[in-house]
Structure formats: structure tokens, C-alpha cells
């Protein structure tokens, strides 16, 4: 059984008590013992109060810790969601880049063909007298 240092504290208090005279030694010892018991009880009460305060603080800290864990898990879930959204957006952009590049290539080929045809038609029209101007003849050129 643990006495939590009670016997040691009582022994210190008894040693610190003034030496009793022979005629009243039992009274002095009794007073010193009572003082030691009161001091030990007071220390015990203070320690119990401190322990109760520590337990209250521990409960508060545990509640705060649990709330932070929940908030962290929620934030981690949001981060994972944002990462997924980002990955999907990157994949869509890559597909759009490929599609745009293909369209630009087709347009460039078509434009080159169209420009070449227009140039050929213009050359032929310049040498061919049958090609008429798009402007009416009564308007000056």
C-alpha cells in the first residue's frame, strides 16, 4: 500500500518540532502529530484539487484534439477531391490541346489549298481574257 510520502512528511514535521521538556513531552508530541496530520491533509487536499484541475484540462485538450483530427480528416478529403478535379482538368486540357492542334492543322491545310487555288485562278484570270471583273463595267476600276 502506497502512502504517497505521508510517513516521510510526518517524520519531517516531527523532527522540525521543538524539543519537548520532560514534563510535557506527550503533549508536545501530540500537538506535533496533530500539526503534521493537518499539514498532510492540507497537502493531500491541494494535490487532489490540482489533480482534478489537470483532469478537466486533459478532457478539454482531448476534445480539442479530437476536433482537430476531424478537421484535418475533412481538409485531407477536400485536398484529395481538389487533386482529383485537377487531374481531370489536366486530362481534359490535354485532350482539348490535341483537338485544337488537329483542327489548326486541318485549317492550315485547307487554307493553303484554298489560297493555292485562288492564286492559280488569279494567274489564269490574268492571262485569260474571258475572266470578268466582279465589278460592273460602268464603274471605274
Amino acid at each position: 500500500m502506497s502512502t504517497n510520502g505521508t510517513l516521510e512528511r510526518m517524520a519531517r514535521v516531527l523532527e522540525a518540532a521543538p524539543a519537548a521538556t520532560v514534563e510535557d513531552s506527550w503533549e508536545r508530541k501530540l500537538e506535533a502529530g496533530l500539526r503534521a496530520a493537518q499539514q498532510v491533509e492540507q497537502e493531500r487536499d491541494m494535490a487532489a484539487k490540482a489533480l482534478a484541475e489537470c483532469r478537466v484540462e486533459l478532457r478539454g485538450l482531448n476534445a480539442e484534439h479530437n476536433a482537430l483530427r476531424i478537421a484535418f480528416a475533412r481538409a485531407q478529403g477536400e485536398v484529395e477531391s481538389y487533386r482529383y478535379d485537377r487531374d481531370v482538368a489536366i486530362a481534359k486540357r490535354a485532350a482539348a490541346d490535341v483537338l485544337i492542334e488537329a483542327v489548326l492543322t486541318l485549317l492550315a491545310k485547307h487554307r493553303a489549298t484554298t489560297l493555292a487555288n485562288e492564286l492559280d485562278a488569279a494567274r489564269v484570270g490574268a492571262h485569260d481574257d474571258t475572266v470578268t471583273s466582279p465589278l460592273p463595267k460602268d464603274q471605274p476600276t
Side-chain angles (χ1 to χ4, degrees):
M1 180 173 132
S2 173
T3 59
N4 294 327
T6 304
L7 295 177
E8 292 83 9
R9 285 191 293 259
M10 288 180 77
R12 276 190 314 225
V13 170
L14 289 174
E15 288 173 5
T21 60
V22 175
E23 62 263 356
D24 63 346
S25 66
W26 69 271
E27 291 173 346
R28 295 274 186 198
K29 287 182 181 179
L30 179 64
E31 285 178 12
L34 288 175
R35 273 185 296 203
Q38 287 175 345
Q39 184 179 2
V40 168
E41 286 177 357
Q42 188 178 24
E43 288 177 4
R44 181 201 62 203
D45 293 343
M46 288 173 36
K49 183 179 178 183
L51 179 62
E53 290 172 359
C54 287
R55 286 182 175 157
V56 168
E57 184 178 356
L58 178 63
R59 280 194 295 269
L61 290 173
N62 279 336
E64 184 179 351
H65 179 258
N66 289 336
L68 288 173
R69 290 176 102 190
I70 291 169
F72 178 75
R74 191 175 297 141
Q76 201 170 17
E78 286 181 23
V79 166
E80 291 301 319
S81 174
Y82 293 147
R83 282 184 183 154
Y84 175 78
D85 292 346
R86 180 204 61 200
D87 292 345
V88 168
I90 288 172
K92 285 182 179 180
R93 176 168 180 211
D97 285 346
V98 168
L99 181 64
I100 289 171
E101 196 62 37
V103 168
L104 288 175
T105 302
L106 286 174
L107 287 174
K109 285 182 182 178
H110 178 71
R111 182 169 171 88
T113 305
T114 306
L115 284 175
N117 289 343
E118 287 179 11
L119 286 174
D120 288 342
R123 285 187 197 128
V124 170
H127 296 296
D128 188 12
D129 292 332
T130 60
V131 176
T132 59
S133 172
L135 296 175
K137 290 187 177 189
D138 57 341
Q139 287 186 354
T141 57

